């Protein structure tokens, strides 16, 4: 069961889709890991038990903290999203895609894995089996989560949407199969093109896929348009997770939560907050509107 | 159906492929790249013809347009060949390293009805489009001063390998970041009449500059500074910031927000006296397929729309992109007193650019009530 409320992590890493100034201020605030951990502590104290975490370097420190405090965080679940594309962007620009992937795999895998890689053909492995390369990259990214509870492993939106444009449905299927077989965890997909991705996943035979996308009343980051999102949310069989519900601050929390709560199929909401006040406010709103929604459902059912 | 070919399949080529491959009016028929490994992967996973030699690709394939995302020093030769083969061309920025090549290409392409576009993607960002609109409405009066900055964390150590570390192949912060930063000035204010006080400075790189500062001087009284730094690790992603100071107010804009200061309120535009902030969420337009930012889709859809004849004027054709190439050339000359001999002829280049540029420029500025 995916958590109803998941704390997002964009704010910790200086990501704000609306304003570079706000992003920079957040980045400054959360430069000190302690400030990130304080927010996670506050989230836990107000009853939030889930955190979406992109696999960047700062995430390692968060995972270390959760392991060190495993008794307190024993019921806390992580929802990793990978890869953190910006981590690789400069290396790709300077060294090229293959060198970057090779260096990542070699730096992140054990001696045995590397031997296996070399015996499988080294550089020609890329040509023979991109799926194997993807699996090795997943293993590298998953290392930081060892010993922690992970519920869903997400493919991050830059990669999801790039592959979507290529129509590489076999990679999506392979990602899903691999994380299930290797880690016993379901795969999820983050996208800025939810209706198009969903169509491809359902066509490929994926059942009830987990898709995380921006869902907000102003249609921000919802492509091709808000109407297509609303149509699939009402008609298609999948597990939607809503993010960017406040459109990076452009929508007031109550309006944001009310809009998302009107879609019964949305089982989970990811939201970012950087203060205890905002955490509590948003969590209470989600719970209040979830309750209203459930009451409304009951009225309809009766 | 528009048949497209790709030359160069690195980070930008892959992005453009993903965007165009999902376009309902485009069929990608072939890809050319120097990496055999990449071509083998493409052969295995995609139904496109693959080539290591673009001449061969152009001879063998029937294509309406070509997308060039190769290192900058190869642009002019590939564009020339594509134009000879009557193909519409989208080329990554900067246009041509050699301005004489660029001028010849512009002259040749003007005789043909071929769509031509350079990847100055900031022109398709909704906030910068809004700034352009506000300037055309003369919102902040006569512009007196501007700064155009670009910061990022692309080079954080000395890397001697790769084309980005070599000026001759189009490397260095000036060509890579600077071209975007300068094009934004050309887009909003037109090209300057003179360049002065340029400093090219290394932070980590031994072969190329990592920082650029330069002053732009306009005969109509506008003064401005350009500051570019690709070695600043405080930026998560490359960021452009432009500040425009005018007689009636001030505008500060980046890709996500515009702050407007007005001496008097503008009720018809819903702008108050003092500070007003508008965010990307106010202007953002959804796209049919989002990859790495909707401006990337909007620029390629604009290119396709121009080919289809649905859009008549390409806002960033070769002629417009050449202005940035010429400015970059003059910045390099301004920074190198040793090349003062060449500087004479090259400063003429900057002046040469004006007669072509000025009619459009003058029109815009006159509309804003700026005396020239």
């Amino acid at each position: 069961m995916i958590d109803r409320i998941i704390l997002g992590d964009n704010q910790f890493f200086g990501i704000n889709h609306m304003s570079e100034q706000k992003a920079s201020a957040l980045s400054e605030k959360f430069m000190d890991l302690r400030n990130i951990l304080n927010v996670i502590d506050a989230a836990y104290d107000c009853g939030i038990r889930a955190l979406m975490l992109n696999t960047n370097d700062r995430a390692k420190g968060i995972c270390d903290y959760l392991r060190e405090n495993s008794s307190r965080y024993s019921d806390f679940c992580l929802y990793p999203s990978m890869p953190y594309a910006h981590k690789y962007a400069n290396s790709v620009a300077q060294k090229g895609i293959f060198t970057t992937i090779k260096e990542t795999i070699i730096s992140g895998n054990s001696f045995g894995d590397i031997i296996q890689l070399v015996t499988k053909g080294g550089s020609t492995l890329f040509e023979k089996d991109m799926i194997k390369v993807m699996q090795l990259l997943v293993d590298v990214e998953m290392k930081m989560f060892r010993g922690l509870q992970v519920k869903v492993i997400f493919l991050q939106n830059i990669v999801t949407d790039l592959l979507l444009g290529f129509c590489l449905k076999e990679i999506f299927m392979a990602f899903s199969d691999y994380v299930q077989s290797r880690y016993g965890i379901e795969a999820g997909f983050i996208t800025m093109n939810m209706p198009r991705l969903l169509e491809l996943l359902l066509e490929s035979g994926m059942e009830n896929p987990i898709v995380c996308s921006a869902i907000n009343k102003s249609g921000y980051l919802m492509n091709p348009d808000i109407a297509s999102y609303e149509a699939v949310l009402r008609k298609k069989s999948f597990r939607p997770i809503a993010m960017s519900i406040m459109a990076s601050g452009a929508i007031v929390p109550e309006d944001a939560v009310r809009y998302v709560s009107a879609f019964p199929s949305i089982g989970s909401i990811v939201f970012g907050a950087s203060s205890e006040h905002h955490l509590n406010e948003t969590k209470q709103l989600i719970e209040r509107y979830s309750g209203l929604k459930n009451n409304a459902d009951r009225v309809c059912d009766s | 159906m528009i048949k497209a070919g790709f030359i160069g399949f690195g980070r930008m080529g892959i992005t453009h492929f993903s965007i165009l491959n999902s376009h309902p009016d485009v069929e990608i028929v072939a890809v050319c790249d120097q990496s055999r490994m990449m071509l083998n992967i493409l052969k295995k996973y995609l139904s496109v013809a693959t080539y290591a030699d673009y001449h061969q690709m152009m001879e063998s394939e029937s294509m309406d347009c070509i997308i060039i995302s190769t290192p900058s020093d190869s642009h002019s030769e590939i564009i020339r060949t594509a134009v000879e083969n009557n193909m519409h061309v989208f080329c990554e920025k900067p246009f041509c390293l050699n301005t004489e090549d660029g001028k010849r290409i512009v002259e040749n392409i003007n005789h043909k009805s071929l769509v031509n576009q350079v990847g100055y993607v900031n022109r398709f960002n909704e906030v910068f489009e809004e700034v352009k609109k506000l300037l055309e409405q003369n919102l902040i009066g006569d512009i007196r001063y501007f700064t155009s900055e670009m910061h990022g964390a692309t080079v954080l150590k000395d890397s001697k390998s790769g084309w980005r570390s070599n000026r001759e192949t189009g490397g260095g912060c000036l060509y890579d970041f600077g071209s975007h930063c300068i094009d934004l000035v050309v887009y909003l204010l037109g090209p300057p009449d003179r360049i002065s006080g340029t400093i090219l400075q290394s932070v980590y790189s031994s072969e190329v500059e990592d920082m650029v500062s330069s002053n732009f001087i306009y005969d109509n009284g506008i003064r401005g500074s350009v500051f570019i730094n690709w070695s600043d690790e405080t930026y998560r992603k490359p960021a452009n910031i432009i500040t425009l100071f005018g007689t009636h107010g001030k505008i500060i804009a980046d890709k996500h927000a515009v702050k407007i200061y007005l001496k008097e309120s503008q009720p018809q535009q819903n702008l108050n006296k003092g500070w007003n902030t508008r965010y990307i969420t106010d202007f953002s337009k959804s796209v049919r397929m989002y990859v790495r930012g909707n401006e990337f889709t909007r620029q390629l859809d604009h290119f396709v729309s121009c080919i289809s004849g649905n859009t008549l004027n390409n806002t960033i054709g070769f002629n417009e992109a050449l202005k940035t190439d010429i400015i970059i050339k003059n910045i390099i000359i301004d920074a190198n007193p040793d090349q003062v001999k060449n500087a004479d002829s090259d400063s003429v280049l900057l002046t040469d650019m004006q007669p072509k540029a000025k009619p459009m420029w003058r029109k815009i500025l006159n509309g804003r009530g700026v005396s020239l």
Side-chain angles (χ1 to χ4, degrees), chain A residues 17-18 90 127-128 165 193 223, chain B residues 21 40 44 153 256 287 290:
Chain A
H17 295 295
M18 186 161 85
N90 289 341
E127 297 162 44
K128 285 182 189 159
N193 307 285
N223 304 288
Chain B
N21 193 45
N40 287 339
K44 184 170 173 182
H256 294 92
V287 288
Y290 179 109

Side-chain angles (χ1 to χ4, degrees), chain A residues 40-49 271 276 279-280 283 287:
Chain A
I40 294 172
D41 282 343
Y44 189 87
D45 289 341
C46 81
I48 294 173
R49 293 291 179 268
F271 76 94
E276 197 174 336
L279 278 166
N280 275 309
K283 180 175 179 280
E287 284 170 349

Side-chain angles (χ1 to χ4, degrees), chain A residues 98-278:
Chain A
F98 299 118
T99 306
T100 301
I101 293 177
K102 253 189 285 182
E103 286 181 1
T104 306
I105 291 172
I106 288 168
S107 69
N109 276 286
S110 67
F111 183 67
D113 292 330
I114 295 163
I115 293 292
Q116 191 192 14
L117 181 70
V118 172
T119 52
K120 282 205 169 198
S123 62
T124 57
L125 177 67
F126 288 106
E127 297 162 44
K128 285 182 189 159
D129 195 353
M130 277 304 285
I131 305 285
K132 180 67 190 166
V133 172
M134 179 273 291
Q135 293 172 353
L136 287 165
L137 286 170
V138 169
D139 291 346
V140 171
E141 300 279 337
M142 280 304 288
K143 280 199 155 81
M144 71 173 78
F145 300 101
R146 71 185 184 283
L148 297 169
Q149 282 191 62
V150 172
K151 271 205 183 157
V152 177
I153 301 175
F154 284 96
L155 196 60
Q156 194 254 4
N157 59 285
I158 291 185
V159 176
T160 304
D161 291 331
L162 207 58
L163 294 172
L164 178 63
F166 278 77
C167 280
L168 286 171
K169 52 178 107 169
E170 58 267 47
I171 307 274
F172 293 128
M173 294 302 285
F175 175 74
S176 178
D177 292 346
Y178 183 67
V179 298
Q180 184 70 57
S181 63
R182 171 82 170 79
Y183 298 97
I185 296 169
E186 283 196 277
F189 301 91
I190 306 176
T191 180
M192 300 293 181
N193 307 285
M194 188 263 272
R196 184 189 283 266
L197 175 72
L198 185 64
E199 195 183 338
L200 188 84
L201 296 179
L202 293 175
E203 260 176 30
S204 314
M206 207 178 279
E207 280 179 20
N208 208 17
I210 301 168
V211 181
C212 179
S213 67
I215 301 177
N216 55 68
K217 65 178 248 183
S218 52
Y220 183 57
L221 297 175
M222 295 163 75
N223 304 288
D225 52 53
I226 191 168
S228 308
Y229 273 61
E230 291 180 346
V232 296
L233 283 169
R234 292 202 174 95
K235 292 175 193 160
K236 300 282 182 182
S237 176
F238 72 118
R239 283 172 285 173
I241 298 178
M243 63 177 190
S244 298
I245 63 166
M246 295 173 217
S248 288
I251 304 167
V252 296
E254 180 147 8
D255 287 354
V257 174
R258 188 190 298 124
Y259 175 77
V260 174
S261 302
F263 296 95
S265 61
I266 298 174
S268 301
I269 296 169
V270 182
F271 76 94
S274 45
S275 72
E276 197 174 336
H277 170 73
H278 282 131

Side-chain angles (χ1 to χ4, degrees), chain B residues 129-144 188-189 220 222 244-251 260-266 268-269 271 362-371:
Chain B
E129 283 179 336
E130 176 70 10
V131 172
K132 172 93 171 160
K133 211 188 301 170
L134 295 174
L135 293 182
E136 285 172 359
Q137 291 166 355
N138 194 30
L139 186 78
I140 58 166
D142 297 350
I143 307 296
R144 289 286 182 255
L188 296 174
L189 299 169
N220 66 359
I222 300 176
L244 299 137
F245 174 81
T247 50
H248 300 160
K250 184 172 166 178
I251 291 174
I260 304 155
Y261 180 88
L262 293 179
K263 285 187 167 184
E264 300 297 335
S265 67
Q266 296 284 342
Q268 71 279 14
Q269 301 197 58
L271 290 167
R362 198 183 289 272
K363 199 173 150 196
I364 293 168
L365 291 176
N366 282 342
R368 288 164 40 211
V370 174
S371 58

Side-chain angles (χ1 to χ4, degrees), chain B residues 347-364:
Chain B
S347 58
V348 174
L349 274 173
L350 194 59
T351 318
D352 275 354
M353 171 166 67
Q354 301 302 359
K356 281 181 194 164
K358 265 191 176 168
M360 176 201 72
W361 183 39
R362 198 183 289 272
K363 199 173 150 196
I364 293 168

